Amino acid sequence: MKKKLVFLMFALLLIGSVASAAPVVEPLQTVDIQADNNVNIFDYNFMDEPGEARLELTQLANIWGGGAVLRVDIETDNGKEELQVVVSGAYNGDSLTTHMLSVSLRNKGLINVSIAKSTPLVLNVKDGKLTVAAGGSKRTVDKVYSFGGSLHTQSITGTLRVYPGSDSVNAGSLVSGGSGGNGGNTSVNDTVDTVSRVVNIFR
């Protein structure tokens, strides 16, 4: 009887732990981003139509050098715009474990952080706000309403996973080799702007 009671208690604990486990969110779409090492443009579609979404880009690599860029189409109150994603690197890649990641809008910088290949770059559009986050840095831009559903890469490869838009986005953790002294999940740069202000900075 005692053995049965112990077994029953163990079974109940096991069921409770399974029930309380956080559900695994599967991506709506996964895209393997390929490119050549001659900055030719490769176009990819990841949505049937413009809409809100959370994009996670990992394994980002520059296989060319200067001039390599990945552009993501967005819809704003100024009309169509492009987010520009640049990863430092050398011709045909290099042996470094970390690289600098820069994300900009109309050549105006949003974030500039050190990343490893596994570090996710998160681009999230929800309720009229674009959030860009990676490596402990986060920037939010108002009056961005949707992704255009396409991206264009010139010599930057990686993996794109598409999820439904999130209500909140974590800045992520600082990557060893980056600047700043506040590790963990603390945001180095957590700023809110509007599209108009971003595109007019330093004009």
Side-chain angles (χ1 to χ4, degrees):
M1 180 68 181
K2 189 174 181 180
K3 287 184 178 180
K4 288 183 178 179
L5 182 60
V6 171
F7 178 78
L8 180 61
M9 290 177 65
F10 175 77
L12 289 172
L13 286 171
L14 183 62
I15 292 171
S17 64
V18 171
S20 62
V24 177
V25 179
E26 295 294 331
L28 302 174
Q29 189 176 1
T30 301
V31 179
D32 183 22
I33 302 171
Q34 298 291 323
D36 67 12
N37 59 358
N38 199 33
V39 291
N40 289 308
I41 299 174
F42 285 58
D43 297 317
Y44 291 89
N45 294 321
F46 55 86
M47 296 166 65
D48 293 332
E49 59 184 18
E52 296 180 340
R54 174 190 176 103
L55 310 184
E56 292 190 7
L57 288 150
T58 56
Q59 302 300 313
L60 290 170
N62 181 338
I63 59 173
W64 168 255
V69 63
L70 184 148
R71 297 181 175 88
V72 180
D73 296 330
I74 57 175
E75 304 279 346
T76 77
D77 66 337
N78 284 353
K80 293 182 179 180
E81 300 281 358
E82 288 183 333
L83 288 174
Q84 300 163 339
V85 179
V86 175
V87 182
S88 65
Y91 181 73
N92 279 333
D94 54 48
S95 59
L96 298 175
T97 58
T98 62
H99 292 86
M100 290 305 298
L101 166 74
S102 299
V103 181
S104 59
L105 174 61
R106 285 204 190 179
N107 296 316
K108 307 302 187 294
L110 298 178
I111 64 170
N112 187 45
V113 293
S114 180
I115 63 165
K117 270 197 169 184
S118 60
T119 304
L121 165 61
V122 177
L123 307 174
N124 186 77
V125 172
K126 181 75 172 179
D127 297 331
K129 297 180 185 294
L130 163 71
T131 303
V132 180
S137 188
K138 183 169 72 171
R139 191 79 171 265
T140 301
V141 181
D142 286 332
K143 298 184 179 179
V144 178
Y145 304 113
S146 66
F147 288 106
S150 56
L151 64 83
H152 322 278
T153 185
Q154 292 176 266
S155 296
I156 289 184
T157 60
T159 300
L160 166 68
R161 291 181 177 85
V162 183
Y163 300 89
S166 300
D167 292 324
S168 63
V169 176
N170 193 291
S173 298
L174 285 170
V175 174
S176 177
S179 60
N182 50 342
N185 290 326
T186 304
S187 172
V188 175
N189 170 17
D190 190 352
T191 310
V192 178
D193 281 310
T194 65
V195 170
S196 297
R197 181 178 184 279
V198 170
V199 300
N200 282 290
I201 291 175
F202 308 127
R203 176 170 290 180

